[in-house]
Amino acid sequence: MADKVGNIRAKNYYTDVPFAQNQFYVKGMDHVDWGMKNRLAQIFNPKSKNTVMLAFDHGYIMGSTFGLERLDLAIPPLVEDIDVLMATRGGLRAAIPPHYNKGIALRCSAGSCVLNDDMSHEVIGVDIEDAIRMNASCMAVQVFVGADGQTSSIDNLVKTIDAGNRYGIPTLGVIAVGKQMERTTKYFLLATRMVAEFGAQIIKTYYCKDFEKITAACPVPIVLAGGKKLPEDEALTMCYKAISEGARGVDMGRNIFQAEDQKAMTKAVAHIVHNGYTDTQAYEFYCDMKGKC
Ligand code: 5RP
């Protein structure tokens, strides 16, 4: 207990100075609780207000894929240049050292497309207690608007949002694009707005034409989904365009861990997201750094 002996009587009350009116810097999050804001601040850098998420939860969808054959070797060298790891609980527990102290986007939906290539019938794969145990900064749930399993995926999302709201853990709504689903601006405008209105605090979606309309119309931050592997210059251009058009970050997997130099690519992406690099500057940086990281 603080020792009362020697306490100095309070005297400066700054009665002419209004109390701190901290406008919280994450879009649409002014009215959430302190704990949720603190977790959002683990995700979105307070200076740039953006985030670089490295996704390596692919194993639950496609098994081992090029670049992720060994999670324990592929991911740890890249964490110094990212803000958040997006992963399954199994991947994190098995392959990431517990002294890792940055953000965790815990993949909480679970399913399989083995039977009929339809991933839309997922379940909630992690209960809230394990998300808390894993120190999740947010919980990620895939939503399949327009697919056969859309209703069950929305049910997974809203149940996760409700549980997260009880404990101050934000939910990341991942806009899925199954094989039979469209990838148009009209679809993404609808799906992102729907998932935000259901209560997700962060939305992850793909780049498309008129992307600035999607980020403007969404009341919470949009994070760009990387998608399939592109040539490094094209991936950096996509990243630059998305940030320029209002995305508050990127969540990339294959375009980082399948790059020719994964570390140089991570750094190049971070320069666009946090340091205002153009795609040209970032690609020049990537080419200079290739093989030297
Ligand atoms: C699938 C996903 C996966 O979680 C993963 O993040 C995909 O990463 P990338 O497409 O950048 O390889 O979001 O919907």
Side-chain angles (χ1 to χ4, degrees), residues 55 57-58 86 107 142 174 204 206 226-227 251-254:
D57 57 342
H58 303 61
M86 177 160 176
R107 161 64 67 175
Q142 226 158 200
V174 179
K204 168 175 162 177
Y206 293 86
D251 180 2
M252 284 181 158
R254 288 161 289 179

Side-chain angles (χ1 to χ4, degrees), residues 254-291:
R254 288 161 289 179
N255 277 295
I256 287 180
F257 61 70
Q258 291 178 351
E260 192 183 338
D261 185 318
Q262 300 84 15
K263 210 158 169 52
M265 190 63 176
T266 311
K267 290 175 181 291
V269 168
H271 276 310
I272 292 173
V273 172
H274 292 307
N275 303 329
Y277 274 39
T278 65
D279 50 345
T280 307
Q281 289 169 322
Y283 187 59
E284 281 168 6
F285 171 88
Y286 173 76
C287 294
D288 290 346
M289 293 300 288
K290 213 163 45 171

Side-chain angles (χ1 to χ4, degrees), residues 39 87-93 104-108 124-139 163 167 169:
R39 286 188 178 89
T88 60
R89 58 180 168 180
L92 278 168
R93 283 196 166 106
I104 293 168
L106 187 65
R107 161 64 67 175
C108 289
I124 295 175
V126 179
D127 82 21
I128 189 67
E129 281 179 11
D130 211 29
I132 294 167
R133 204 175 286 122
M134 293 294 292
N135 264 341
S137 312
C138 67
M139 297 179 287
Y167 295 97
I169 304 180

Side-chain angles (χ1 to χ4, degrees), residues 15-164:
T15 49
D16 58 333
V17 177
F19 193 80
Q21 293 297 322
N22 301 323
Q23 178 88 22
F24 192 54
Y25 65 92
V26 177
K27 183 179 183 183
M29 294 296 123
D30 270 352
H31 307 298
V32 303
D33 185 45
W34 190 92
M36 187 172 282
K37 287 177 178 170
N38 182 257
R39 286 188 178 89
L40 287 163
Q42 289 167 12
I43 297 167
F44 296 99
N45 179 295
K47 287 200 184 74
S48 69
K49 302 181 178 48
N50 290 341
T51 187
V52 175
M53 292 185 177
L54 172 59
F56 68 94
D57 57 342
H58 303 61
Y60 101 95
I61 298 174
M62 52 184 83
S64 65
T65 184
F66 172 62
L68 282 190
E69 295 86 346
R70 285 284 303 272
L71 296 179
D72 59 323
L73 301 178
I75 301 303
L78 304 179
V79 299
E80 68 174 340
D81 298 301
I82 54 101
D83 304 293
V84 179
L85 288 177
M86 177 160 176
T88 60
R89 58 180 168 180
L92 278 168
R93 283 196 166 106
I96 303 301
H99 63 264
Y100 166 78
N101 61 0
K102 297 185 172 178
I104 293 168
L106 187 65
R107 161 64 67 175
C108 289
S109 54
S112 170
C113 54
V114 168
L115 271 185
N116 53 11
D117 217 12
D118 175 6
M119 188 81 197
S120 67
H121 295 278
E122 289 197 317
V123 295
I124 295 175
V126 179
D127 82 21
I128 189 67
E129 281 179 11
D130 211 29
I132 294 167
R133 204 175 286 122
M134 293 294 292
N135 264 341
S137 312
C138 67
M139 297 179 287
V141 174
Q142 226 158 200
V143 185
F144 295 79
V145 174
D148 192 45
Q150 75 171 359
T151 303
S152 62
S153 73
I154 291 169
D155 189 49
N156 296 340
L157 175 82
V158 296
K159 283 195 169 73
T160 302
I161 291 167
D162 286 337

